[in-house]
Amino acid sequence: NTEQVMSINLEKDMVPGSKLLFDLYLHMPKNNKYILYLREKNQLTTDTFEKLMKHGIKNVYLRSAQKERFFAYCARNKILQSA
Protein backbone atom coordinates (compact mmCIF):
# COMPACT_ATOMS: atom_id res chain seq x y z
CA ASN A 1 0.00 0.00 0.00
CA THR A 2 1.95 3.00 -1.27
CA GLU A 3 0.76 6.39 -0.23
CA GLN A 4 0.19 8.99 -2.88
CA VAL A 5 2.94 11.58 -3.05
CA MET A 6 3.08 15.05 -4.51
CA SER A 7 6.14 16.55 -6.19
CA ILE A 8 7.40 19.99 -5.13
CA ASN A 9 9.97 22.02 -7.06
CA LEU A 10 12.78 22.60 -4.56
CA GLU A 11 13.99 25.90 -5.98
CA LYS A 12 10.59 27.50 -6.73
CA ASP A 13 8.40 26.17 -3.92
CA MET A 14 10.71 25.84 -0.93
CA VAL A 15 12.20 28.68 1.10
CA PRO A 16 15.61 28.25 2.78
CA GLY A 17 15.34 28.96 6.51
CA SER A 18 11.63 28.17 6.62
CA LYS A 19 9.85 25.93 9.11
CA LEU A 20 8.12 22.96 7.49
CA LEU A 21 4.42 22.34 8.03
CA PHE A 22 4.65 18.86 6.47
CA ASP A 23 7.03 15.89 6.21
CA LEU A 24 9.53 16.24 3.36
CA TYR A 25 10.62 13.19 1.36
CA LEU A 26 13.33 12.45 -1.19
CA HIS A 27 12.82 9.99 -4.06
CA MET A 28 15.35 7.21 -4.54
CA PRO A 29 15.08 6.34 -8.25
CA LYS A 30 17.08 3.10 -8.13
CA ASN A 31 14.49 1.35 -5.96
CA ASN A 32 11.62 3.78 -6.59
CA LYS A 33 11.22 4.47 -2.86
CA TYR A 34 10.56 7.68 -0.95
CA ILE A 35 12.54 8.30 2.22
CA LEU A 36 11.61 10.72 4.96
CA TYR A 37 14.19 13.51 4.87
CA LEU A 38 12.79 16.16 7.22
CA ARG A 39 9.85 15.96 9.59
CA GLU A 40 7.24 18.69 9.86
CA LYS A 41 8.15 21.46 12.32
CA ASN A 42 11.83 21.11 11.40
CA GLN A 43 13.56 23.91 9.58
CA LEU A 44 14.79 23.66 6.01
CA THR A 45 18.10 25.33 6.76
CA THR A 46 19.99 27.27 4.12
CA ASP A 47 22.81 24.69 4.40
CA THR A 48 20.40 21.80 3.78
CA PHE A 49 18.75 23.62 0.87
CA GLU A 50 22.13 24.35 -0.73
CA LYS A 51 23.30 20.76 -0.19
CA LEU A 52 20.23 19.41 -1.98
CA MET A 53 20.70 21.87 -4.86
CA LYS A 54 24.41 20.97 -5.11
CA HIS A 55 23.51 17.28 -5.43
CA GLY A 56 21.13 18.06 -8.28
CA ILE A 57 17.92 17.47 -6.35
CA LYS A 58 15.26 19.34 -8.30
CA ASN A 59 12.14 17.94 -6.66
CA VAL A 60 11.21 16.96 -3.14
CA TYR A 61 8.00 15.24 -2.13
CA LEU A 62 5.22 15.19 0.43
CA ARG A 63 2.33 12.86 1.11
CA SER A 64 -0.75 14.00 -0.78
CA ALA A 65 -2.66 13.79 2.50
CA GLN A 66 -0.57 16.77 3.68
CA LYS A 67 -1.14 18.97 0.61
CA GLU A 68 -3.29 21.46 2.54
CA ARG A 69 -0.32 21.98 4.88
CA PHE A 70 1.88 22.60 1.84
CA PHE A 71 -0.56 25.26 0.59
CA ALA A 72 -0.48 26.90 4.03
CA TYR A 73 3.33 26.80 3.94
CA CYS A 74 3.33 28.50 0.52
CA ALA A 75 0.92 31.19 1.71
CA ARG A 76 2.90 31.83 4.89
CA ASN A 77 6.26 32.06 3.13
CA LYS A 78 4.98 34.20 0.26
CA ILE A 79 3.66 36.68 2.83
CA LEU A 80 6.99 36.66 4.70
CA GLN A 81 9.03 37.12 1.54
CA SER A 82 6.99 40.10 0.33
CA ALA A 83 7.05 41.84 3.73
Side-chain angles (χ1 to χ4, degrees):
N1 182 11
T2 47
E3 286 196 65
Q4 294 289 326
V5 294
M6 196 173 125
S7 175
I8 307 169
N9 183 292
L10 178 64
E11 197 169 9
K12 292 180 186 169
D13 298 330
M14 301 301 296
V15 179
S18 61
K19 183 174 154 183
L20 297 178
L21 302 178
F22 49 88
D23 293 334
L24 195 68
Y25 291 82
L26 296 179
H27 182 246
M28 309 318 278
K30 287 187 180 179
N31 61 6
N32 200 29
K33 301 266 186 211
Y34 295 90
I35 59 160
L36 180 60
Y37 188 68
L38 283 173
R39 290 194 181 278
E40 71 175 286
K41 298 184 181 158
N42 282 327
Q43 188 176 37
L44 176 64
T45 65
T46 301
D47 285 349
T48 299
F49 181 86
E50 289 173 358
K51 184 167 56 168
L52 290 170
M53 294 295 291
K54 188 175 116 187
H55 287 289
I57 304 292
K58 299 206 183 312
N59 293 304
V60 289
Y61 301 85
L62 67 124
R63 294 190 322 258
S64 295
Q66 291 190 316
K67 71 180 172 188
E68 296 300 326
R69 293 181 192 182
F70 171 66
F71 298 145
Y73 168 88
C74 290
R76 175 186 288 180
N77 287 294
K78 192 157 188 77
I79 290 166
L80 290 176
Q81 283 185 321
S82 62

